[in-house]
Amino acid sequence: KSIDGVHEKYPVEDYLDLFDLATYQLQTISAHSSSEGEHKWKNIIIGEASASTMWDNSAWIYFYNNSVDGEPPFMVQDFIHAVQPDAKFIALLRNPVERLYSDYLYFESTNKSAEDFHEKVIDSLQQFDSCLQHYSLRACVYDTALHMSMPVRLQLGTYVIFLKDWLTVFGREQLLILRLEDHASNLKHTMHLVFEFLHLGPLTRQQEDLMTKNPAHNTRRLKDRNLGPMLPGTKEILKQFYWPFNQKLAELLSDVSFLWL
């Protein structure tokens, strides 16, 4: 995919190649099958960690012309369900206001500043509001052209829109929804939840120690930290924008912590 759209299809074989190492490990266990090997089979989980799986359906417009009022007829989860109906998913959600600023700092390459972020937020909000004048909320969230046009990825924080679509395909018991803030403050607790969700048995003290010793990935770079926080005005605007989405998310999950108060 390029900024101008999808130029060619990405072969599924290329994606499957990512699992070569896991396949090799499984073949090794199978070749040395024993009582110990059979035990290992029960504790093997194969997965991948593409964060965009939850929300990225930007290619749909290039392959389907039979959309209903600008909404995608099929999405990523439909295809996953076709081949892995019993799959399980873990979503780690961050306060959408802070997520957007972090996203800007991580992906913007030049002339970054709190003032520039503010201008880009205002521009994106105006474009999103303009879309809503003509199309449904869901259509605007999945609008590929709008996604490419907006200078910040505003719609990624509308978590409840994506989650509701996933729940039309997969059962609630197949999704574990966590908050990044909780994971950062109490990694052991969230990992216990993950192990329980995946039926991996209790998390051992040794496993806990290994996890807590591993350094965090994708931490904010020093030059980005030096830019400081977003402007208070920007934060307030974004809080107002995301508030109705957070309310519906908290209601859907029966968990007020997803209000991010």
Side-chain angles (χ1 to χ4, degrees):
K1 185 179 73 172
S2 76
I3 195 169
D4 298 317
V6 175
H7 288 173
E8 59 182 340
K9 295 181 179 179
Y10 189 84
V12 68
E13 290 79 9
D14 288 3
Y15 174 74
L16 293 176
D17 287 343
L18 299 174
F19 298 89
D20 283 352
L21 178 59
T23 302
Y24 172 76
Q25 292 173 331
L26 290 174
Q27 289 174 338
T28 301
I29 293 174
S30 178
H32 299 84
S33 179
S34 64
S35 58
E36 180 182 358
E38 290 173 4
H39 174 71
K40 288 183 178 179
W41 275 108
K42 298 178 181 179
N43 292 288
I44 292 177
I45 295 292
I46 300 175
E48 58 106 82
S50 299
S52 59
T53 300
M54 180 179 179
W55 56 264
D56 190 359
N57 286 275
S58 58
W60 77 266
I61 195 66
Y62 301 103
F63 300 109
Y64 302 104
N65 296 318
N66 59 332
S67 66
V68 179
D69 296 327
E71 298 185 11
F74 302 103
M75 293 183 293
V76 169
Q77 52 265 43
D78 293 300
F79 298 104
I80 295 176
H81 186 269
V83 294
Q84 292 285 355
D86 298 321
K88 289 193 170 187
F89 303 88
I90 301 171
L92 193 60
L93 307 181
R94 184 178 185 177
N95 182 329
V97 175
E98 296 299 335
R99 190 219 67 81
L100 188 65
Y101 189 49
S102 179
D103 190 79
Y104 163 81
L105 293 176
Y106 187 81
F107 288 106
E108 191 70 24
S109 58
T110 58
N111 301 320
K112 288 184 284 190
S113 69
E115 292 76 16
D116 180 66
F117 176 66
H118 181 84
E119 292 178 4
K120 285 179 166 58
V121 166
I122 297 299
D123 184 356
S124 298
L125 286 169
Q126 290 174 343
Q127 290 192 47
F128 195 78
D129 183 63
S130 179
C131 179
L132 291 175
Q133 304 306 311
H134 305 282
Y135 300 98
S136 69
L137 172 60
R138 186 170 177 272
C140 292
V141 168
Y142 289 113
D143 188 322
T144 301
L146 180 62
H147 176 75
M148 296 292 187
S149 175
M150 290 196 299
V152 292
R153 303 194 294 179
L154 193 71
Q155 71 274 42
L156 268 60
T158 60
Y159 305 132
V160 69
I161 303 296
F162 305 120
L163 186 55
K164 281 186 175 180
D165 280 333
W166 277 85
L167 289 173
T168 64
V169 181
F170 291 97
R172 178 66 182 88
E173 73 282 356
Q174 292 177 263
L175 283 79
L176 176 64
I177 315 299
L178 302 171
R179 298 194 326 150
L180 178 62
E181 294 82 359
D182 298 330
H183 183 66
S185 64
N186 194 341
L187 184 147
K188 290 182 181 180
H189 176 66
T190 56
M191 291 311 300
H192 274 281
L193 294 176
V194 169
F195 267 56
E196 180 181 353
F197 174 67
L198 297 176
H199 301 295
L200 289 174
L203 188 63
T204 66
R205 180 62 62 85
Q206 182 181 16
Q207 290 168 326
E208 285 182 352
D209 293 340
L210 287 172
M211 291 175 184
T212 54
K213 289 179 181 177
N214 286 331
H217 295 280
N218 293 335
T219 55
R220 188 165 296 179
R221 294 165 293 214
L222 177 61
K223 61 180 180 180
D224 291 337
R225 292 201 299 270
N226 290 337
L227 294 176
M230 71 182 83
L231 299 176
T234 316
K235 189 170 187 176
E236 187 58 35
I237 291 170
L238 288 173
K239 285 174 66 175
Q240 292 178 17
F241 173 77
Y242 286 120
W243 175 246
F245 298 105
N246 293 346
Q247 281 185 307
K248 292 177 182 178
L249 179 64
E251 181 180 350
L252 180 66
L253 300 176
S254 300
D255 188 343
V256 295
S257 69
F258 286 94
L259 291 172
W260 282 285
L261 296 175

